[in-house]
Amino acid sequence: QRDLVESGGGSVQAGGSLTLSCVYTPTYNNYYSAWFRQTPGKEREGVAAIDTYGSPSYSDSVKGRFTISKDNDKNTLYLQMNNLKPEDSAMYYCAEELNLYGTIATKTTDDFGWWGQGTQVTVSS
């Protein structure tokens, strides 16, 4: 069993920045990691991912503003969010899976077996 714990959410003005963190149990070293977000009444959508080689990918809505990274020494996944917009407001979840490849655009929630509890991000205009 893997435990994923997110943190770093909060409230920020439009144009501001936040960094989300996700600490995971280091059972393996070849996880495909991703960040999803969800607003009430809507489906969870993938926004960023990083594969086992360190290659990142992003959804069109966040490309150029968000940066995903991971520190294997600290067993932590990050999402640096810059130039935040009100439409970025959502509950953000980290997710991981083994033997997964490709960009976030090719992934759905069904592709991931491990999820964090979520951290809320609220962006005001």
Side-chain angles (χ1 to χ4, degrees):
Q1 184 181 33
R2 296 200 70 219
D3 297 320
L4 284 69
V5 181
E6 300 105 328
S7 63
S11 299
V12 64
Q13 295 287 332
S17 300
L18 285 173
T19 299
L20 307 183
S21 299
C22 174
V23 179
Y24 56 90
T25 302
T27 305
Y28 303 99
N29 60 6
N30 61 336
Y31 287 103
Y32 181 100
S33 305
W35 287 95
F36 284 73
R37 66 186 182 188
Q38 186 173 29
T39 56
K42 296 185 178 181
E43 296 182 350
R44 195 169 297 185
E45 62 172 340
V47 297
I50 186 166
D51 65 18
T52 58
Y53 301 100
S55 297
S57 62
Y58 305 93
S59 67
D60 291 337
S61 62
V62 307
K63 187 176 182 180
R65 299 186 298 118
F66 291 11
T67 301
I68 187 172
S69 63
K70 59 183 177 182
D71 187 335
N72 290 324
D73 292 331
K74 297 182 178 180
N75 304 318
T76 304
L77 176 72
Y78 301 98
L79 183 67
Q80 175 65 51
M81 305 182 294
N82 298 321
N83 191 25
L84 284 162
K85 304 175 180 180
E87 50 263 46
D88 293 319
S89 297
M91 184 73 74
Y92 283 73
Y93 301 87
C94 60
E96 293 189 316
E97 185 56 81
L98 293 169
N99 302 316
L100 204 59
Y101 305 92
T103 66
I104 188 63
T106 67
K107 303 296 181 288
T108 69
T109 57
D110 292 337
D111 294 317
F112 296 86
W114 288 285
W115 294 88
Q117 83 289 347
T119 184
Q120 180 68 45
V121 172
T122 302
V123 184
S124 59
S125 61

